[in-house]
Amino acid sequence: MLIPEDLKYSEEHEWVKVNGNMATIGITDYAQDQLGEIVYVELPAEGERFSKADAFGSVESVKSVNDIFSPLTGRVAEINDPLVDSPETINEEPYGEGWMIKIEMANKKELEDLMSADEYEVYISEETK
Amino acid sequence: MSPQHTLFYDIQKKMGARFVDFAGWEMPVYYSSITEEHQAVRQCAGLFDTSHMGQFLMTGSQAESALQHLTPNNIKRLQSGQCQYSAFLNENGMFIDDIILYKYHSEKFFICVNACNTEKDFRWVKDHLKGNAIVQDVSRDYALLALQGPQAESIIRSLTPDPQSLKGFHFMETQIGGIPLLISRTGYTGEDGFEIYIPTSSPNTASLWSIILEKGQPLGLRPAGLGARDTLRLEAAYSLYGHEINDQTTPWEAQLGWIVKMNGDDFIGKKALEQAREKGLKKIRIGIEMSEKGIARQDYPIEYEGRIVGKITSGTLSPTLLKAIAIGYIDPKFSAPGTKIHIDIRGKKRNANIVSLPFYKREI
């Protein structure tokens, strides 16, 4: 299971990559593996605002549909449009081409609530016990 | 309560199966990918472990009439060595379960029931048993494998010594690698195939999994999980208990009227079914194809011109059609194929069409 060192992680299995005021968000390798083959992705519109823990979109596998919760408060600056036509990208490259949205953060303090790679590794090993 | 495991659990785990809890059993949901396993069954063959399903044995000089009282299909038409799709219905003519009956002879029948209903069914059968007949729950005595797909017959022929071919909905007792078996030409995928009942008392029962897989591998056989089983049965529009059929649904509504023989002997639920037919149906089972993105899933509302007229019972992305398909119940007034409807997918109204069932039919 891939857990890149330079990312932050939420309990809902999203990853966050911070670049200045901007946060790129996707779902983790563990999350895509749990879901299985992803067949649909629903993304928000650019400019939409979300509070921390709001559902901003969903990913749907053959077996189930799952809301994706925003780990941060902010405004959607960019969405990864190509995902809508090739949702399997999330399975193939969850941390690369499989990113979902970029958010302009409203409150950078919220980053402190996220886990480091080491903490996330412990978190998922507890969950799978 | 810790989940139950089938005889093949260890070997499946070793093969890298992903498991899911189903009716108290930890069952393989897929080995590599639901869609790949689905395609294998449509194009070559797949091997499913369905040992979680329940089995009863009914014996006695009046077993036949006792079973007729409990099931709506005509048992008297059933020959020795034949199987029959039927049901247990309650006094309201609604489903307790759907079942397959196996007739050895008029004093011995084998019954296959759904895993999630085994205990409920057994209690109900015992409580409603008439005359000289005994029912035993033999679920623990049998493991069950389903070999399904266009190559299934070639694979079975290479494994069993019996030269004669088995006709659809017939069964025989035979053996593979010295293990005694009951094999029926039945299935739940929309393909040709076999279901193989294996007595768990045989010392090397678990080896059968590998024996069949090895023999079938050159013909494209691969292990398949409950995930593919569900997408396959949905394309073939087979009903699943807890989704299309339950204790609020009659066979008329489920479009399973063909398993109900109203001109035959009495059975539990017959009177209610007569009345239900006279009154007219409130809902009917239909097929749905999405014309917009999204998958219609169980309990999503079906709308016609802004009004809720039904709901979804099962839905998936069809690996064969590459479209989102669903089965649901709708007010019969709106049930004609071609009718344009909306599915409320988590608050978003998505366009869909009513289509005739099944979604997939194999070429014979």
Side-chain angles (χ1 to χ4, degrees):
Chain A
M1 208 68 63
L2 270 175
I3 307 175
E5 280 297 321
D6 57 332
L7 305 178
K8 298 239 171 225
Y9 299 88
S10 78
E11 289 181 2
E12 305 281 355
H13 306 285
E14 286 98 15
W15 57 263
V16 173
K17 185 177 188 172
V18 180
N19 187 355
N21 225 17
M22 204 68 90
T24 306
I25 298 168
I27 65 168
T28 65
D29 193 20
Y30 173 81
Q32 70 76 21
D33 184 64
Q34 290 291 311
L35 286 167
E37 299 154 281
I38 295 168
V39 294
Y40 285 120
V41 177
E42 208 154 15
L43 296 174
E46 279 172 21
E48 267 189 78
R49 282 169 200 282
F50 292 97
S51 295
K52 184 179 159 174
D54 283 353
F56 71 74
S58 62
V59 291
E60 188 149 16
S61 68
V62 178
K63 288 301 283 180
S64 68
V65 55
N66 296 71
D67 282 328
I68 307 297
F69 298 97
S70 183
L72 302 164
T73 301
R75 190 186 70 91
V76 179
E78 204 180 328
I79 58 168
N80 189 5
D81 253 342
L83 280 188
V84 175
D85 289 321
S86 42
E88 68 281 359
T89 310
I90 295 181
N91 292 119
E92 292 157 2
E93 288 184 68
Y95 301 112
E97 293 298 311
W99 68 274
M100 297 179 74
I101 59 170
K102 289 184 184 175
I103 270 192
E104 232 177 71
M105 285 181 279
N107 180 4
K108 284 187 83 170
K109 270 217 163 117
E110 285 171 353
L111 291 170
E112 291 166 18
D113 301 334
L114 299 175
M115 289 176 267
S116 68
D118 288 347
E119 287 165 337
Y120 182 61
E121 192 175 351
V122 173
Y123 178 72
I124 56 176
S125 71
E126 298 277 318
E127 197 168 75
T128 49
K129 253 179 210 165
Chain B
M1 210 176 73
S2 61
Q4 303 188 71
H5 292 145
T6 80
L7 276 177
F8 312 106
Y9 175 78
D10 289 336
I11 184 152
Q12 290 159 348
K13 196 163 189 183
K14 228 178 273 171
M15 297 176 75
R18 192 62 65 92
F19 293 89
V20 67
D21 184 69
F22 187 87
W25 293 76
E26 200 175 349
M27 300 297 295
V29 62
Y30 62 83
Y31 297 82
S32 57
S33 133
I34 292 174
T35 36
E36 282 172 33
E37 289 160 24
H38 180 111
Q39 309 291 15
V41 173
R42 287 273 178 260
Q43 286 153 19
C44 308
L47 184 65
F48 300 86
D49 179 4
T50 53
S51 302
H52 57 311
M53 294 190 79
Q55 292 85 31
F56 305 155
L57 195 61
M58 176 121 39
T59 52
S61 61
Q62 292 174 304
E64 188 170 86
S65 59
L67 211 44
Q68 183 62 85
H69 174 64
L70 299 175
T71 59
N73 212 334
N74 188 350
I75 294 221
K76 291 191 181 118
R77 282 219 326 231
L78 198 57
Q79 309 282 319
S80 292
Q82 229 184 343
C83 321
Q84 184 180 65
Y85 182 60
S86 192
F88 295 139
L89 304 176
N90 62 24
E91 296 287 349
N92 301 324
M94 293 170 173
F95 286 91
I96 293 167
D97 204 356
D98 65 335
I99 61 174
I100 292 185
L101 299 176
Y102 293 72
K103 180 177 178 178
Y104 285 87
H105 50 76
S106 62
E107 298 184 7
K108 186 180 177 188
F109 292 85
F110 187 73
I111 309 167
C112 187
V113 303
N114 278 302
C116 58
N117 290 331
T118 306
E119 283 173 39
K120 175 187 78 174
D121 289 356
F122 187 62
R123 247 181 288 126
W124 183 81
V125 169
K126 267 203 308 199
D127 289 351
H128 294 83
L129 208 52
K130 273 188 170 176
N132 183 19
I134 298 165
V135 63
Q136 292 166 267
D137 181 350
V138 293
S139 305
R140 296 305 186 106
D141 301 344
Y142 291 92
L144 177 56
L145 296 178
L147 176 63
Q148 302 278 303
Q151 295 293 344
E153 187 178 21
S154 309
I155 297 167
I156 278 286
R157 275 174 179 274
S158 70
L159 284 162
T160 61
D162 296 88
Q164 90 275 19
S165 97
L166 197 56
K167 283 189 280 182
F169 268 73
H170 281 70
F171 70 96
M172 65 178 175
E173 288 176 284
T174 180
Q175 50 102 357
I176 294 177
I179 303 165
L181 312 162
L182 187 160
I183 297 186
S184 60
R185 196 157 198 167
T186 51
Y188 195 51
T189 58
E191 296 301 329
D192 183 21
F194 301 84
E195 290 179 292
I196 307 165
Y197 295 87
I198 312 141
T200 48
S201 56
S202 259
N204 35 8
T205 306
S207 67
L208 208 61
W209 176 261
S210 308
I211 293 174
I212 298 174
L213 277 181
E214 270 164 39
K215 202 74 171 178
Q217 203 174 24
L219 294 170
L221 175 66
R222 50 194 285 177
L226 294 189
R229 189 171 153 87
D230 192 47
T231 53
L232 288 158
R233 71 94 194 165
L234 239 163
E235 285 184 350
Y238 292 140
S239 290
L240 174 61
Y241 189 89
H243 291 254
E244 285 70 41
I245 55 178
N246 55 34
D247 63 4
Q248 302 294 316
T249 307
T250 66
W252 308 136
E253 296 164 335
Q255 308 246 38
L256 289 170
W258 62 274
I259 67 168
V260 178
K261 302 291 153 42
M262 297 300 277
N263 300 324
D265 291 352
D266 264 354
F267 57 85
I268 296 173
K270 189 177 183 183
K271 207 166 273 164
L273 286 179
E274 239 159 41
Q275 290 165 355
R277 194 162 59 174
E278 279 163 25
K279 263 199 254 167
L281 307 185
K282 284 206 183 71
K283 62 176 182 182
I284 192 146
R285 186 167 70 103
I286 45 138
I288 292 160
E289 231 175 64
M290 297 303 299
S291 43
E292 269 191 288
K293 291 216 162 180
I295 297 176
R297 300 203 183 257
Q298 187 169 26
D299 294 333
Y300 289 5
I302 302 171
E303 298 187 1
Y304 180 81
E305 292 183 346
R307 201 152 61 83
I308 294 176
V309 291
K311 72 176 180 185
I312 302 294
T313 50
S314 300
T316 192
L317 182 75
S318 159
T320 304
L321 306 172
L322 298 173
K323 282 181 189 163
I325 57 169
I327 294 175
Y329 281 87
I330 197 168
D331 180 332
K333 287 200 286 288
F334 309 105
S335 64
T339 306
K340 295 204 179 317
I341 51 171
H342 289 99
I343 310 298
D344 185 337
I345 297 187
R346 300 183 299 284
K348 288 179 181 145
K349 320 285 181 196
R350 302 289 199 195
N351 289 312
N353 292 305
I354 295 177
V355 296
S356 48
L357 293 173
F359 301 101
Y360 169 85
K361 205 171 167 93
R362 87 182 132 109
E363 288 165 33
I364 303 170

